[in-house]
Amino acid sequence: MFPRPIEQTSPASQWLYKIAVPVALVVWLLPLLGVALTSIRPATDLAQGNYFGVPSAIALENYVQIFTESPIAGYMLNSFKVTVPTVIGAVALSCMTGFALAIYGFRLNLIVFFMFVAGNFVPFQILMVPVRDLTLKMGMYNSWTGLAMFHIAFQTGFCTLFMRNFIKALPYELIEAARVEGVTEWQIFWHVVLPLMRPAIAALSVLIFTFIWNDYFWATVLTTSAESQPITAGLSSLNGQWIAQWHLVSAGSILAALPPVLMFFLMQRHFIAGLTLGAVK
């Protein structure tokens, strides 16, 4: 049962809603605003104890300094090396597996689907030791390649669940009509189903890009050096390098948050269409 629209509630509820929403928004954004202010705060402000007040000056040189005095550019490049292949690999695999699980009614279909679903409920913390040992044995420990391959394997289960449910909601008559015309199964997937999956692909790509870019746990478990660490693990090491220079760490945090935000705004129209497709008839 869905909640009633706010316009249909009592005047007191509407006033409470109008007050609560801005307050909740400010509380939610307060940490981000604090980090943004700290990123442009001069080092002298922090030395004098001005942590939460208005900055005495706008120190945009913090953003220049973090590139000149740290390997943050390499960290960001590593994040792209891990995130982009993961998005492409996980989405491509899930499109094919989702198509097979949604279209073909073989006997083990449901069991295979349940295996994909069950994999999403395994706490990833308990996989830390076996995954680390596996990457060591394969010679892929402390490399962005090993980190990307692990993410592809781990994210494909969730992506398959997403794609399977999306394809299942498509009109099956399109598949039957294509088969009557003599179209092969691969052509049905490529020319009939895949074009209809564009909103779902866009929405899933934004989600996976955000998940992988912001990953900290596996970035610290599977990488140890600046040559392979992504930005999340790199910021942690910068915190140790600049013991009290929070203005530089904050500037790095803002830079690290920009790619997912830009990704969302660039794909916003497709993202919303993919999430809401099927919500209304």
Side-chain angles (χ1 to χ4, degrees):
M1 184 176 181
F2 296 99
R4 292 193 308 169
I6 190 63
E7 294 82 4
Q8 299 179 8
T9 60
S10 63
S13 299
Q14 295 183 28
W15 276 106
L16 181 61
Y17 176 82
K18 293 178 181 179
I19 295 174
V21 169
V23 171
L25 182 62
V26 170
V27 172
W28 183 68
L29 291 176
L30 198 58
L32 180 60
L33 294 175
V35 173
L37 283 176
T38 304
S39 69
I40 59 173
R41 193 183 300 276
T44 54
D45 282 15
L46 297 175
Q48 295 171 2
N50 183 15
Y51 301 109
F52 304 104
V54 178
S56 60
I58 304 300
L60 294 179
E61 60 270 16
N62 292 342
Y63 289 91
V64 178
Q65 188 177 354
I66 195 175
F67 280 103
T68 57
E69 297 185 6
S70 77
I72 192 171
Y75 290 140
M76 296 191 71
L77 180 60
N78 290 336
S79 287
F80 281 109
K81 288 179 179 179
V82 172
T83 305
V84 174
T86 298
V87 172
I88 295 174
V91 172
L93 288 173
S94 64
C95 286
M96 292 183 285
T97 54
F99 175 80
L101 292 175
I103 299 301
Y104 303 126
F106 52 87
R107 185 172 300 177
L108 297 178
N109 189 313
L110 194 59
I111 297 177
V112 174
F113 177 64
F114 281 154
M115 291 176 62
F116 277 104
V117 175
N120 294 315
F121 293 96
V122 177
F124 58 85
Q125 291 86 352
I126 67 175
L127 300 175
M128 180 178 66
V129 174
V131 168
R132 182 181 180 276
D133 291 343
L134 179 62
T135 55
L136 284 170
K137 292 178 181 178
M138 297 178 63
M140 305 182 70
Y141 182 73
N142 193 31
S143 67
W144 65 265
T145 306
L147 185 58
M149 291 185 65
F150 165 77
H151 281 307
I152 291 174
F154 199 78
Q155 295 296 329
T156 299
F158 167 75
C159 295
T160 298
L161 172 64
F162 187 95
M163 287 300 184
R164 184 261 184 189
N165 293 337
F166 183 89
I167 297 173
K168 198 74 174 178
L170 296 177
Y172 190 73
E173 291 78 8
L174 295 174
I175 310 297
E176 293 178 330
R179 287 172 176 168
V180 169
E181 295 295 330
V183 180
T184 64
E185 297 299 314
W186 174 254
Q187 290 176 328
I188 291 175
F189 169 74
W190 189 260
H191 296 288
V192 178
V193 176
L194 197 60
L196 299 175
M197 295 169 61
R198 288 177 182 174
I201 292 174
L204 193 59
S205 298
V206 174
L207 290 175
I208 299 303
F209 186 95
T210 304
F211 292 161
I212 304 306
W213 184 275
N214 293 330
D215 171 69
Y216 175 75
F217 181 82
W218 291 111
T220 55
V221 170
L222 300 181
T223 59
T224 57
S225 64
E227 290 74 21
S228 58
Q229 283 185 326
I231 186 65
T232 48
L235 284 176
S236 177
S237 64
L238 295 181
N239 190 17
Q241 177 182 351
W242 298 317
I243 298 175
Q245 300 190 54
W246 294 109
H247 56 300
L248 298 182
V249 177
S250 298
S253 301
I254 295 296
L255 290 173
L258 288 179
V261 173
L262 293 176
M263 177 75 171
F264 173 78
F265 281 109
L266 290 174
M267 304 290 289
Q268 181 179 12
R269 181 169 61 89
H270 301 287
F271 177 75
I272 296 175
L275 292 182
T276 59
L277 190 64
V280 294
K281 294 183 178 181

